Amino acid sequence: MTDDAVPDLRASDADRERVADILRDALAEGRLDMVEFEERLDATYRARTYGELAPITRDLPAAGVTAPVVSLSKDPANGSDWSGRIVGGEGSSTWAVAVMAGFQRKGHWTVPRRFTCFAFCGGGELDLREANFTEREVEINAIAIMGGVDVIVPPGVEVVVRGIGIMGGFDHREDGVPGEPGAPRVVITGFALWGGVGVQRKLTRAEKQRVREERRREKLERRESRRELG
């Protein structure tokens, strides 16, 4: 029997179930949305030959195959690793206050070894996604009384939360997430009374745009794949 004849071989129920398992894994991992999953699963159970089954999972990793790792961290502006963003020296500012008002630190600024902020009946935002750091470990001491402070960090940065809340609280969702090698460590301390200190991990606008473009390309590729399947 020649290799050219293999696609014409009849597929078994076990063959179709193996393909269905790959599709279920892809759905769970977010590689397929529900519409794509249902379309491919329907095509799987309608397939009669290996030639009809093969294209269904052509763009998906098979079981036991490790897919390439996609990093969500922003490449440092001054170098190829995090060391380019640990610059030494002094911070752009060391404190911020919001009393029935607000404060914001964002964009390209330098985080000092210790930054203290106070919010009373107001709010503040500390955005570290494009910031440089004076040291490998920095501390943000946040005091929120009937107000709030939001700290935004990029993927890859380690966050440690040690604040105390009374009828308020500190967000611990990002606490303990391992950091990337050489990335800064941000320790969040302070006190919250009838207020809160939140921690969010977000991409920069440039990274969000890059992810959107990649998703557009993937959608176009999937459309082409569906045309081939059709």
Side-chain angles (χ1 to χ4, degrees):
M1 181 181 296
T2 65
D3 291 339
D4 293 339
V6 171
D8 295 326
L9 287 178
R10 302 285 290 189
S12 68
D13 288 339
D15 295 325
R16 284 183 281 272
E17 284 302 324
R18 278 191 288 271
V19 172
D21 287 340
I22 293 175
L23 295 178
R24 292 186 188 101
D25 289 341
L27 176 66
E29 294 167 356
R31 302 181 194 278
L32 297 176
D33 59 31
M34 184 57 70
V35 173
E36 294 167 325
F37 170 73
E38 291 175 350
E39 289 175 351
R40 296 197 190 196
L41 191 64
D42 182 60
T44 297
Y45 288 121
R46 286 190 287 103
R48 292 293 174 263
T49 66
Y50 287 119
E52 293 173 340
L53 280 177
I56 296 173
T57 58
R58 184 172 291 155
D59 59 345
L60 299 174
V65 175
T66 302
V69 175
V70 179
S71 175
L72 294 180
S73 62
K74 180 182 184 297
D75 291 335
N78 300 322
S80 59
D81 56 24
W82 282 102
S83 62
R85 293 177 63 176
I86 301 175
V87 297
E90 298 182 356
S92 303
S93 61
T94 58
W95 60 274
V97 174
V99 178
M100 293 185 287
F103 66 79
Q104 189 176 66
R105 298 289 186 276
K106 65 184 297 185
H108 297 288
W109 67 294
T110 302
V111 185
R113 183 182 65 82
R114 179 181 171 88
F115 185 93
T116 299
C117 55
F118 175 77
F120 175 75
C121 292
E125 179 182 89
L126 302 176
D127 190 337
L128 312 185
R129 289 177 292 176
E130 297 181 354
N132 290 326
F133 300 81
T134 57
E135 297 187 14
R136 169 73 172 74
E137 179 173 303
V138 298
E139 179 183 343
I140 294 175
N141 181 40
I143 301 169
I145 299 176
M146 293 185 288
V149 176
D150 287 323
V151 182
I152 303 174
V153 300
V157 168
E158 181 185 1
V159 177
V160 178
V161 180
R162 296 175 180 164
I164 298 172
I166 298 177
M167 291 182 286
F170 281 70
D171 189 346
H172 287 263
R173 285 176 295 179
E174 300 298 335
D175 190 10
V177 177
E180 294 178 355
R185 187 171 188 248
V186 178
V187 180
I188 300 175
T189 61
F191 176 73
L193 174 65
W194 291 337
V197 177
V199 183
Q200 302 179 63
R201 198 179 296 272
K202 294 182 178 180
L203 296 172
T204 63
R205 289 181 180 177
E207 279 295 304
K208 288 178 181 178
Q209 181 62 31
R210 183 184 64 78
V211 170
R212 282 195 291 265
E213 290 174 356
E214 289 180 354
R215 286 175 178 169
R216 285 195 204 101
R217 282 197 298 271
E218 290 174 357
K219 286 182 180 178
L220 289 173
E221 291 172 359
R222 287 195 292 265
R223 287 174 188 168
E224 291 298 324
S225 177
R226 284 198 291 268
R227 288 195 190 102
E228 291 178 5
L229 291 173

